[in-house]
Amino acid sequence: MGRQNTINKITTIQSNLGGGVETPPRVSRAEKKKRRSRFRKHRHCSNMETAAEVSQDNKFATDSDAATIQERIQKRNQARIEDVERRKEAKEIRSVPEEKGEYFSRTFRTELACIEELLSRCSGADRAEVIRRLEETSTKTAQLQKFVNDSLLFLTQYELRQAQAALQKLQSSISEARDKALPKKKFAFRARTNDAVPPGADTPAESGKADGGGGALEKSPPGAATSEGANGGGAAATDQCGFSNMDGELLTKTAEEIQKGDVLLTHLSNCKVRLFGSPSTLHLKHIDSCEILCGPVSTSVFVDHCKNSTLAFPCQQLRTHSTTDTQVYLHVTSRAIIEDCHGVSLAPFSWSYPTLDADFNVSGLDRDRNNWSQVDDFNWLAARTPSPNWAVIPEADRRTNWD
């Protein structure tokens, strides 16, 4: 009864308030079951959508992995192909020099034999025919020298030395044949002897000999003096002209004195040398702190043990040994060669004198072909790295005035 009274009071109060809080209707069991069923279906659909999204993500991940694997396979195949190419190139590198070496040796021997045979036919021929054959042998020798220069990359040191020695011997033979066919003026060193000079007379060492180049003094090297013979002469003739054992002198040779002969300069120090004309060969040995300028040399220039000097000459070939701290102003039609050198610097030939053009014509050198900066260093075999033993003189530091 007490509970019913309480409910009645609440109902009366709600009526007086005009409604109030409605009591939620009671849900039947069937409705609850339907709600649970709808919730399960909704959750199932949500799970299906989530699974589809996960599956799509997995698909994308699988495609990415496949692309990565494919890329790795391609890189591996490329690396394999490159390795095969490297092995092939290495095999070719090992085989090509041998094949080229055999070709060089065979060709060099054949051409050398042809030149020697042509040179041997100069004996007994008339003057005009000898001149023609000598010119032909000189041309073929220059071509053979170019063939050697072009083959330097794959030649061994021994093969190169043998070829250069054969060429040098051949050039000497050509010079000998030319001397026989075209005799040149003999040059005599004169020595002063105190007992042979009358009192008050000028001696050669005091008066000197006036040359076309400015009056150089000519002195004889030690041991060059000869005692008076039966003919009363005091001079000895030699096939070479030049200067030897001098210090601090101005030395000059004219074109008439040189006459395509061989010039030898040896044991000079602090000298200025001017050689006009066209020598056949030029030999410089034991030169210290000198300035040596020479006209076009028809064949080779050989420099040995030169230091602290300045040289200038055109030539067909330059061979330089044991030379240090020396500047070379060069015109060369083949390639310059240095060995056991350091501190050598080069620039184009720039000395000029009135008869230079005529001397170039006599020498037979090609004025349009100058390989002054093409140097082969026998002590530096790294093809792709410049030799530290020689350099090019910067243009701003090159000499143009030689007075």
Side-chain angles (χ1 to χ4, degrees), residues 57-221:
D57 293 340
N58 291 336
K59 181 180 179 181
F60 289 152
T62 303
D63 293 341
S64 177
D65 293 341
T68 302
I69 293 172
Q70 184 67 22
E71 184 179 357
R72 290 178 180 175
I73 293 174
Q74 291 178 352
K75 288 183 178 180
R76 189 175 301 170
N77 289 336
Q78 184 65 29
R80 187 179 298 110
I81 292 172
E82 292 176 355
D83 184 60
V84 171
E85 290 295 328
R86 282 195 297 269
R87 292 181 181 179
K88 184 178 179 180
E89 290 177 0
K91 183 178 180 181
E92 291 177 352
I93 290 173
R94 288 192 299 269
S95 61
V96 168
E98 297 176 359
E99 296 173 0
K100 287 186 176 181
E102 293 176 359
Y103 170 76
F104 171 82
S105 299
R106 182 171 62 254
T107 305
F108 183 84
R109 288 194 301 267
T110 301
E111 292 299 321
L112 184 64
C114 290
I115 297 173
E116 290 175 343
E117 194 273 335
L118 180 61
L119 188 61
S120 66
R121 285 159 45 194
C122 292
S123 178
D126 58 50
R127 180 183 177 88
E129 183 64 18
V130 169
I131 293 176
R132 187 189 68 80
R133 291 177 181 176
L134 286 175
E135 292 299 326
E136 186 177 355
T137 56
S138 297
T139 301
K140 288 183 175 292
T141 301
Q143 293 173 349
L144 189 57
Q145 178 66 62
K146 182 180 183 302
F147 176 65
V148 173
N149 293 337
D150 293 341
S151 306
L152 288 175
L153 291 178
F154 57 84
L155 290 181
T156 64
Q157 287 283 351
Y158 174 77
E159 291 171 334
L160 185 57
R161 290 178 187 274
Q162 291 292 102
Q164 294 291 1
L167 282 171
Q168 185 174 352
K169 182 179 178 181
L170 180 60
Q171 290 171 348
S172 299
S173 299
I174 294 174
S175 298
E176 292 175 2
R178 183 183 291 110
D179 292 342
K180 290 180 181 179
L182 308 170
K184 58 181 180 290
K185 179 182 176 182
K186 300 292 184 179
F187 173 79
F189 285 109
R190 293 184 178 273
R192 178 176 60 133
T193 55
N194 294 330
D195 55 349
V197 179
D202 289 337
T203 64
E206 294 168 347
S207 61
K209 178 181 177 181
D211 285 324
L217 293 178
E218 293 186 1
K219 297 181 180 180
S220 65

Side-chain angles (χ1 to χ4, degrees), residues 119-365:
L119 188 61
S120 66
R121 285 159 45 194
C122 292
S123 178
D126 58 50
R127 180 183 177 88
E129 183 64 18
V130 169
I131 293 176
R132 187 189 68 80
R133 291 177 181 176
L134 286 175
E135 292 299 326
E136 186 177 355
T137 56
S138 297
T139 301
K140 288 183 175 292
T141 301
Q143 293 173 349
L144 189 57
Q145 178 66 62
K146 182 180 183 302
F147 176 65
V148 173
N149 293 337
D150 293 341
S151 306
L152 288 175
L153 291 178
F154 57 84
L155 290 181
T156 64
Q157 287 283 351
Y158 174 77
E159 291 171 334
L160 185 57
R161 290 178 187 274
Q162 291 292 102
Q164 294 291 1
L167 282 171
Q168 185 174 352
K169 182 179 178 181
L170 180 60
Q171 290 171 348
S172 299
S173 299
I174 294 174
S175 298
E176 292 175 2
R178 183 183 291 110
D179 292 342
K180 290 180 181 179
L182 308 170
K184 58 181 180 290
K185 179 182 176 182
K186 300 292 184 179
F187 173 79
F189 285 109
R190 293 184 178 273
R192 178 176 60 133
T193 55
N194 294 330
D195 55 349
V197 179
D202 289 337
T203 64
E206 294 168 347
S207 61
K209 178 181 177 181
D211 285 324
L217 293 178
E218 293 186 1
K219 297 181 180 180
S220 65
T226 58
S227 61
E228 292 183 343
N231 59 0
T238 177
D239 289 339
Q240 284 185 333
C241 67
F243 302 99
S244 179
N245 295 285
M246 294 189 179
D247 185 8
E249 299 284 354
L250 173 62
L251 309 171
T252 304
K253 286 293 178 187
T254 65
E256 290 74 16
E257 291 176 308
I258 291 175
Q259 288 191 4
K260 289 186 69 67
D262 298 335
V263 178
L264 171 63
L265 306 178
T266 178
H267 292 93
L268 302 181
S269 59
N270 303 298
C271 291
K272 287 189 175 183
V273 183
R274 301 292 186 268
L275 303 175
F276 300 94
S278 175
S280 175
T281 59
L282 175 62
H283 298 261
L284 309 178
K285 297 182 179 180
H286 301 287
I287 305 298
D288 184 7
S289 304
C290 291
E291 180 183 280
I292 300 175
L293 312 181
C294 181
V297 181
S298 58
T299 58
S300 301
V301 175
F302 301 95
V303 181
D304 192 12
H305 288 87
C306 179
K307 61 181 180 180
N308 303 320
S309 297
T310 300
L311 314 176
F313 42 73
C315 61
Q316 182 188 93
Q317 178 189 17
L318 172 63
R319 294 291 302 271
T320 306
H321 297 269
S322 304
T323 293
T324 59
D325 301 324
T326 293
Q327 293 187 339
V328 183
Y329 289 79
L330 179 65
H331 181 111
V332 60
T333 56
S334 59
R335 291 173 66 96
I337 295 174
I338 65 174
E339 186 173 12
D340 300 327
C341 299
H342 65 269
V344 175
S345 53
L346 298 101
F349 178 75
S350 59
W351 182 45
S352 180
Y353 56 91
T355 61
L356 178 62
D357 292 339
D359 292 338
F360 256 107
N361 293 334
V362 172
S363 70
L365 298 178

Side-chain angles (χ1 to χ4, degrees), residues 344-386:
V344 175
S345 53
L346 298 101
F349 178 75
S350 59
W351 182 45
S352 180
Y353 56 91
T355 61
L356 178 62
D357 292 339
D359 292 338
F360 256 107
N361 293 334
V362 172
S363 70
L365 298 178
D366 185 356
R367 298 198 70 169
D368 297 327
R369 182 181 180 186
N370 187 5
N371 299 319
W372 66 272
S373 61
Q374 305 298 314
V375 180
D376 296 318
D377 186 355
F378 282 3
N379 298 106
W380 189 260
L381 302 180
R384 298 182 179 179
T385 306

